[in-house]
Amino acid sequence: MRRFLILFPVYLLSGFTVLKASFAQSVLSVMTGALVTVCARLIRAFGGQAIAEGAILRTPDNSFALMVVAGCNAAHVTVLLWAAVLSFPATWPQRAKGLAGGGAAIHAVNLIRIISLFYLGRWNRDVFDFAHVYLWESLITIDALVVFWTWVWLIRKPGPILHAHAA
Amino acid sequence: MPPSPQLRFLARASILATAILAVWWWLLLTPVLAVMRAPTEFALRLLPGCGQETRILTGPDGQWSFAAPPGAASAPLQNAIQEAMRGLPDAAAKVPWRISSKQVVCARTSLSLFSLSLPLYWSILLAAPPRKSRLRAALGGSALAAAIGFVSLLLFFVKGTNDLAQFVPGAAARFALDLASYLGESLLPYAAPLLIAIWLNSEFRDRILSAAALRSSPAQPAHQPAARSGYGPGRKGGRSR
């Protein structure tokens, strides 16, 4: 526990320091563009209409456009989750699974978040602001905690040998 | 198969967060910001170059702004204005120009972000497993969450003022201020309530982390089932919700 309490802020600060670096910003902008493209494709796949232009997701008639900026690409929450995974006592293969699986889970939720914000923004600006600033950021942070908790539960789960011994 | 404790917590926390944050956003945000204004003004008056007359003004869109001292960063702009005015034929060209202050503006969305910690903490507190003295966690955690929101808001204004006045000496100190302000905007309002809840609610903490406390090494022999504890099917005497 003490080890976790020491390592977690260290990893967290290191991660956010890296996020502020210019090389990370260029990587993140590419990632954000890809995220917007995937969102547009998903919307079209389900019968909606959206066009991706760099970090902008817009309607074909330009009636609404949404720009995905730093903080909306789930990078902050991913760093939070990764800092917790790296700080927790586990083997490196377990950590690798936590980083990859946890990161994927967070980004899957973030896709839903951006698509839902796209539709909310077209509907009502006030509700969009609430969902954007308050609700979704909170939900995705709670989601990160649940992903971490699930990962801890999985790596502590007894394997088949343990079950056989207990039986 | 019953849902796992993680999924139950996720469902409870999501529903509670949606309800509490909605009430906060539409009913309580404006009065809370009104209460936060006086202590923020008081704190800003302590900054170098800001006098007792420092006031926070509320704009039409609900944004806050205050007049920060211009500092050395304004010198090039001031010189450029003076140079441009010199070419004018009238008396205005002869008047010495001086930038007396610059506005540091915090948009309404950012202001609301700094007040998020409190309702989010309450959502997590209510969604987390019950504990004996929930009142203590509610009071202590609320005070901490509110303090973190207030400090994040102050960091925003201090960083904005320093960008103009450059009163923080040294590159390392400026970087630390930049990073702290960045964390205050992008991490603390969301992450602090979770961390406070985990810290103050021992039962919740145990469910998530107790295995780490009991088993410091990840290499556990398979014939020690008793070492696994905290949650899951092997737990004895644990509370189930």
Side-chain angles (χ1 to χ4, degrees), chain A residues 47-65:
Chain A
Q49 290 189 318
I51 292 171
E53 280 176 353
I56 295 174
L57 184 66
R58 66 172 177 86
T59 53
D61 61 357
N62 268 329
S63 59
F64 180 75

Side-chain angles (χ1 to χ4, degrees), chain A residues 1 12-13 16-17 20 76 88-89 126 130 133-135 137-138 141 145-146 149-150 152-153 156 158 162, chain B residues 6 18 21-22 24-26 112 115 120 175 179 182-183 186 190 194 205 207-208 211-212 215 222 228 231:
Chain A
M1 183 69 176
L12 199 59
L13 280 177
F16 272 80
T17 305
K20 270 181 72 70
H76 298 153
F88 197 80
D126 202 26
F130 165 68
V133 179
Y134 259 34
L135 186 60
E137 288 289 345
S138 304
T141 311
L145 173 66
V146 169
W149 187 359
T150 306
V152 172
W153 184 80
R156 300 300 178 202
L162 196 60
Chain B
Q6 294 90 342
T18 305
L21 290 175
W24 187 265
W25 177 270
W26 275 290
S112 54
S115 72
L120 181 56
F175 177 78
L179 185 62
Y182 181 55
L183 291 173
S186 54
Y190 308 107
L194 285 181
R205 185 175 64 239
R207 287 198 180 194
I208 299 172
R215 222 173 68 174
R228 182 178 176 272
Y231 38 74

Side-chain angles (χ1 to χ4, degrees), chain A residues 6-91:
Chain A
I6 294 167
L7 286 177
F8 178 66
V10 171
Y11 282 125
L12 199 59
L13 280 177
S14 308
F16 272 80
T17 305
V18 169
L19 278 185
K20 270 181 72 70
S22 55
F23 73 91
Q25 293 297 323
S26 54
V27 172
L28 284 177
S29 71
V30 173
M31 196 192 87
T32 304
L35 175 70
V36 172
T37 304
V38 172
C39 286
R41 285 184 183 164
L42 277 173
I43 290 170
R44 288 199 295 268
F46 284 94
Q49 290 189 318
I51 292 171
E53 280 176 353
I56 295 174
L57 184 66
R58 66 172 177 86
T59 53
D61 61 357
N62 268 329
S63 59
F64 180 75
L66 177 152
M67 186 173 187
V68 179
V69 295
C72 301
N73 52 18
H76 298 153
V77 186
T78 306
V79 168
L80 178 69
L81 174 71
W82 283 3
V85 168
L86 288 171
S87 314
F88 197 80
T91 63

Side-chain angles (χ1 to χ4, degrees), chain A residues 82-164:
Chain A
W82 283 3
V85 168
L86 288 171
S87 314
F88 197 80
T91 63
W92 280 106
Q94 286 171 334
R95 283 190 183 129
K97 286 177 190 168
L99 297 179
I106 295 291
H107 285 279
V109 174
N110 197 45
L111 282 175
I112 300 169
R113 168 178 175 248
I114 291 173
I115 292 170
S116 73
L117 287 175
F118 180 70
Y119 281 103
L120 282 175
R122 289 170 66 178
W123 172 58
N124 185 301
R125 177 60 199 256
D126 202 26
V127 176
F128 170 83
D129 282 342
F130 165 68
H132 174 222
V133 179
Y134 259 34
L135 186 60
W136 263 119
E137 288 289 345
S138 304
L139 292 183
I140 210 164
T141 311
I142 292 170
D143 182 58
L145 173 66
V146 169
V147 167
F148 173 69
W149 187 359
T150 306
W151 173 75
V152 172
W153 184 80
L154 285 172
I155 66 170
R156 300 300 178 202
K157 203 172 176 179
I161 297 172
L162 196 60
H163 279 304

Side-chain angles (χ1 to χ4, degrees), chain B residues 14 32 35 38 53-54 68 81 83 89 151 166 189 199 222 227 231-232 240:
Chain B
S14 300
V32 166
V35 170
E53 69 279 2
T54 298
I81 292 172
E83 198 62 37
V151 168
Q166 298 187 346
W199 179 40
Y231 38 74
S240 174

